[in-house]
Amino acid sequence: MSRTATITGTDELGLRGLNGDHEGVLLRVAHRELLGRADECSIQLHDPRISRQHAEISASEGALWVQDLGSQNGTWVNNTKVSRVRLRLGDLLRVGQFRFQVVVATETQSRSVHMVEEPTASHQLVRRVGTDRLSRPSELPLDSWLRQISDSEEEPDFNPSPQLWAGLRRYARNAEVLFQASRNVQHIDEDPGALSRVVESVVDFLEVDRGVVALVEDKPDSLRPEVVVYGDRATPETAIAMSRTIALHVLKDRCGVISQDAHADRRFDASESIIATPARALLAAPLVAGARVLGIFELSTTAPGARFTEQDLELLTVIASMIGSALHRREVAQEQEATIRLLQEARKSLLGTQAELERTERLARIGELAQKLVHEVSNHVLPLQMAELIKERYPADAEMASLIDGIMAAGESLETLASEVRAYLHGQKFERIRSTMKLSTVAHSADRFVRRHEDVCNHALELLVEVDPEVEIDLIHLRQAVINLVKNAGQAINHDEGRIIIRVWQDGASGCLSVSDNGPGISPEVAAQIFDPNFSTKGTRGSGIGLGVARERAEEHGGSLSFSTTPGLGTTFTLRVPVASPIAAELRPHRSLNRTINPDESGPDEATLLFERGRSLLDEMDPPTDAS
């Protein structure tokens, strides 16, 4: 039995994953490895068709073995179900959906052929057979004898000579080898071990020491061994040596060659049928695919008295031609796969580009809409500033003053938002101006703003100030966070005795503002997603951004937003911001207006003109009373 080997006789075999999680991974087998789904398996394979302990891979006596452990779906080697078998280089192991190839586990082997320069007298080129000179079956003496038997109407005198018996056996064995080779070469492009099995069958049939399939690289005398197979009597070599003279004859002349040692008996020099090679015999044939020569298939032996015939060369030439065609198909298939991958990547890139263009177009439309929205918001905010005139005109009306404060706060928030969006659209940096103030200022401002909101007005709203720390904040932004929390609290309450508490206190270096409700609380499933963008439990009534905005505002101030909840009793959201330092309080003037500053701005702006016009109209409708 022949052995598939690598370049050196000391290389160890391993498994390389061909798909799944182990694709491209080299698995070395030190002693014993278990394959399966169980945690104790050193090679875990997650596939329901694989048993918990499916198979065992073991290394012993310099060989690699696989043994099925009574699995339900079996262990397969080269598409054959096995119980225990020795693995050879190139074998294909399949367990469930996972496929592995037997490869060399060490990295020391050479990947080139050592071309030997031999004197011209060392070898004698005895016979060359091209693919166009192969004998047809009808030209063989054995075929003629068989045809005579089949054409005869009488019982033949069946007494063949020993030579005819030998020819008959050889004819049958040749047919068997060709059948095995033709069956295996069909799978070279999909089964890495198929080529090795073809070479093994020829090495076993002709009982030679070594069979080599070597492929041409950049030039004819530069070869790379694809498969090396040794007979039972041979010792694996530390390097693959091939005659440069023989290789060039085969590759350049595209012909098969029988070679013998020049020191062999000279009486066989003129023979065209049987060549005696007591020292070294060699057969070589080209791997041809159309007009291309892909490589060389070489057989050699040093056995005393070994003989090669022209029929051996013809057999080798036919099989080499089959291998050449199969390797060409493999190349084409690999090129097609590479082209398909490139096309898929190009398609993916085009789809990505198309998606990006669509996104850019949407963003452009959104930007255009935002510009229109900012313009309209700015126009509608200007009249709100006249509310201050009403407050000045009726200072004694506390209820009106409270309403006007809410209107003015809303106008200021809208103006700030419009300025921020405008700055973003023009690629400018919007400067947020923070002021040092009591934290209760935020609570009172939010209370006035949201108390009459439809989601809050039907519940009892309380404001408790236990300790009132000074904080350095952007009032408008932080107020928006508190407003969102109060509105969410109101929306969460599902009974008629709703209660919302805004509480202000201090915890160490943090100023704390909490919003509590006596609603149903938050379930663990909702709590896990409460701050996720666009997540809402309110259906069309909610956008899913309020809590995210609130947390963003807290974090912008160097603080945080957290919550605690008790099912059936309610929820508390707590906003924390750093307490202002005394130095910061002295250096920061109190300013509550955020706006982008135009350095080219001069003269009264549209807001001022509209404000003055509103004052005039108000005076006309309700002239001031003469105090005298």
Side-chain angles (χ1 to χ4, degrees):
M1 180 64 67
S2 60
R3 294 172 292 156
T4 303
T6 55
I7 305 305
T8 64
T10 59
D11 289 333
E12 297 178 356
L13 299 181
L15 300 176
R16 186 176 299 279
L18 300 179
N19 66 335
D21 297 337
H22 297 280
E23 183 174 0
V25 177
L26 177 62
L27 304 174
R28 301 175 185 272
V29 181
H31 178 62
R32 176 176 175 268
E33 309 288 347
L34 286 178
L35 283 77
R37 293 188 291 110
D39 293 338
E40 61 267 21
C41 293
S42 53
I43 304 177
Q44 279 192 305
L45 305 173
H46 302 289
D47 182 352
R49 291 171 291 182
I50 295 177
S51 302
R52 290 182 55 79
Q53 291 188 358
H54 193 102
E56 175 185 289
I57 305 293
S58 59
S60 62
E61 301 177 357
L64 198 63
W65 298 81
V66 60
Q67 180 174 349
D68 186 80
L69 300 179
S71 64
Q72 182 175 359
N73 293 311
T75 301
W76 301 76
V77 176
N78 300 326
N79 297 321
T80 301
K81 191 175 182 179
V82 299
S83 55
R84 187 174 188 271
V85 70
R86 177 178 176 178
L87 296 174
R88 300 185 179 189
L89 182 65
D91 280 350
L92 195 66
L93 170 66
R94 179 169 62 83
V95 179
Q97 67 173 342
F98 293 95
R99 295 185 296 117
F100 300 89
Q101 182 186 0
V102 180
V103 297
V104 177
T106 57
E107 304 294 339
T108 57
Q109 81 270 20
S110 169
R111 295 304 298 165
S112 61
V113 171
H114 174 55
M115 305 302 292
V116 179
E117 299 287 352
E118 296 178 301
T120 55
S122 176
H123 282 80
Q124 179 183 8
L125 192 63
V126 177
R127 178 64 168 161
R128 294 188 295 190
V129 178
T131 56
D132 56 343
R133 295 179 53 193
L134 297 178
S135 300
R136 299 178 181 179
S138 59
E139 299 172 351
L140 299 177
L142 181 63
D143 180 79
S144 176
W145 180 82
L146 292 173
R147 187 167 54 254
Q148 291 178 10
I149 294 178
S150 62
D151 292 342
S152 175
E153 297 181 357
E154 300 178 357
E155 289 293 330
D157 183 12
F158 194 75
N159 186 22
S161 65
Q163 292 83 359
L164 198 55
W165 269 118
L168 181 60
R169 288 194 297 270
R170 183 58 177 263
Y171 194 88
R173 293 183 64 191
N174 280 4
E176 180 183 359
V177 172
L178 286 173
F179 172 74
Q180 293 177 357
S182 63
R183 183 177 61 181
N184 283 307
V185 295
Q186 296 177 22
H187 306 288
I188 284 179
D189 56 339
E190 60 188 30
D191 181 359
L195 181 57
S196 298
R197 293 192 293 275
V198 172
V199 179
E200 287 176 5
S201 64
V202 179
V203 169
D204 289 340
F205 173 61
L206 295 179
E207 298 179 350
V208 297
D209 294 336
R210 188 188 75 180
V212 180
V213 171
L215 304 182
V216 176
E217 292 193 307
D218 54 343
K219 51 186 178 180
D221 60 348
S222 177
L223 299 175
R224 173 178 57 83
E226 183 77 4
V227 172
V228 182
V229 175
Y230 293 98
D232 288 336
R233 298 185 305 270
T235 301
E237 304 160 289
T238 57
I240 300 300
M242 295 179 68
S243 166
R244 185 186 303 275
T245 303
I246 300 298
L248 291 178
H249 272 298
V250 172
L251 297 173
K252 289 187 175 181
D253 295 344
R254 298 164 59 92
C255 64
V257 171
I258 299 176
S259 174
Q260 70 167 355
D261 192 289
H263 299 290
D265 194 336
R266 292 290 183 177
R267 57 187 173 159
F268 296 106
D269 285 355
S271 173
E272 293 186 357
S273 58
I274 300 177
I275 307 299
T277 54
R280 181 171 182 263
L282 181 146
L283 287 178
L287 307 176
V288 179
R292 296 177 56 205
V293 179
L294 305 181
I296 186 173
F297 187 0
E298 181 190 277
L299 301 174
S300 60
T301 183
T302 58
R307 295 170 177 266
F308 285 137
T309 67
E310 289 187 9
Q311 286 72 31
D312 295 334
L313 182 58
E314 288 187 344
L315 174 67
L316 182 68
T317 304
V318 171
I319 295 177
S321 178
M322 295 165 57
I323 293 174
S325 298
L327 292 176
H328 177 66
R329 289 197 307 271
R330 186 177 71 177
E331 284 184 356
V332 172
Q334 291 172 346
E335 291 174 357
Q336 289 176 343
E337 289 180 2
T339 302
I340 290 173
R341 285 195 298 269
L342 289 176
L343 290 175
Q344 289 174 339
E345 292 174 0
R347 179 178 180 273
K348 183 178 179 180
S349 178
L350 287 174
L351 290 176
T353 302
Q354 180 181 357
E356 184 63 25
L357 288 174
E358 292 175 355
R359 178 177 176 272
T360 302
E361 185 177 353
R362 287 197 303 270
L363 290 176
R365 290 198 297 267
I366 291 173
E368 183 179 353
L369 179 61
Q371 287 181 332
K372 294 178 180 178
L373 183 62
V374 167
H375 180 269
E376 294 303 318
V377 167
S378 299
N379 289 339
H380 287 78
V381 165
L382 294 175
L384 296 180
Q385 297 181 0
M386 291 188 296
E388 187 176 1
L389 301 178
I390 300 175
K391 183 178 180 181
E392 293 176 356
R393 186 61 56 88
Y394 303 100
D397 193 333
E399 183 178 3
M400 180 178 290
S402 176
L403 293 174
I404 290 174
D405 285 341
I407 294 173
M408 293 175 62
E412 188 176 6
S413 296
L414 287 174
E415 183 182 358
T416 301
L417 179 61
S419 298
E420 185 175 357
V421 174
R422 186 184 297 112
Y424 178 79
L425 291 174
H426 290 83
Q428 300 172 355
K429 182 179 180 181
F430 181 74
E431 296 184 6
R432 306 184 190 280
I433 300 178
R434 297 183 181 180
S435 303
T436 301
M437 64 187 70
K438 297 291 186 179
L439 185 56
S440 63
T441 305
V442 182
H444 284 295
S445 181
D447 174 60
R448 289 193 302 268
F449 198 96
V450 79
R451 181 175 288 274
R452 291 176 175 81
H453 192 277
E454 61 179 353
D455 293 326
V456 180
C457 62
N458 293 324
H459 308 304
L461 178 60
E462 299 179 47
L463 174 57
L464 303 177
V465 181
E466 299 176 0
V467 178
D468 197 4
E470 286 194 340
V471 291
E472 186 181 356
I473 59 172
D474 180 334
L475 174 61
I476 295 176
H477 268 202
L478 205 59
R479 179 180 64 199
Q480 185 60 50
V482 178
I483 290 172
N484 288 343
L485 296 178
V486 176
K487 288 172 58 180
N488 280 355
Q491 293 168 351
I493 300 172
N494 55 2
H495 53 81
D496 296 334
E497 297 180 359
R499 185 183 180 192
I500 303 172
I501 300 176
I502 304 175
R503 177 170 164 251
V504 177
W505 81 100
Q506 183 172 344
D507 181 14
S510 297
C512 303
L513 188 155
S514 65
V515 177
S516 303
D517 65 71
N518 61 346
I522 303 174
S523 67
E525 294 78 11
V526 174
Q529 308 174 70
I530 197 77
F531 291 113
D532 291 352
N534 302 319
F535 174 77
S536 175
T537 59
K538 306 168 190 174
T540 57
R541 294 180 59 228
S543 61
I545 64 174
L547 287 176
V549 169
R551 185 169 68 171
E552 181 181 334
R553 297 289 185 257
E555 292 175 349
E556 286 175 354
H557 286 81
S560 63
L561 177 64
S562 59
F563 71 95
S564 60
T565 184
T566 303
L569 296 179
T571 303
T572 297
F573 281 87
T574 301
L575 188 151
R576 297 173 179 267
V577 292
V579 173
S581 64
I583 297 179
E586 293 177 3
L587 295 179
R588 294 280 186 177
H590 179 77
R591 295 183 61 186
S592 60
L593 178 63
N594 288 323
R595 59 192 297 263
T596 53
I597 300 174
N598 184 1
D600 300 328
E601 180 175 79
S602 62
D605 57 11
E606 185 179 0
T608 303
L609 294 175
L610 186 58
F611 185 82
E612 294 299 332
R613 182 183 177 191
R615 181 188 293 273
S616 300
L617 290 174
L618 188 62
D619 289 341
E620 292 175 4
M621 291 186 294
D622 189 9
T625 303
D626 189 355
S628 61

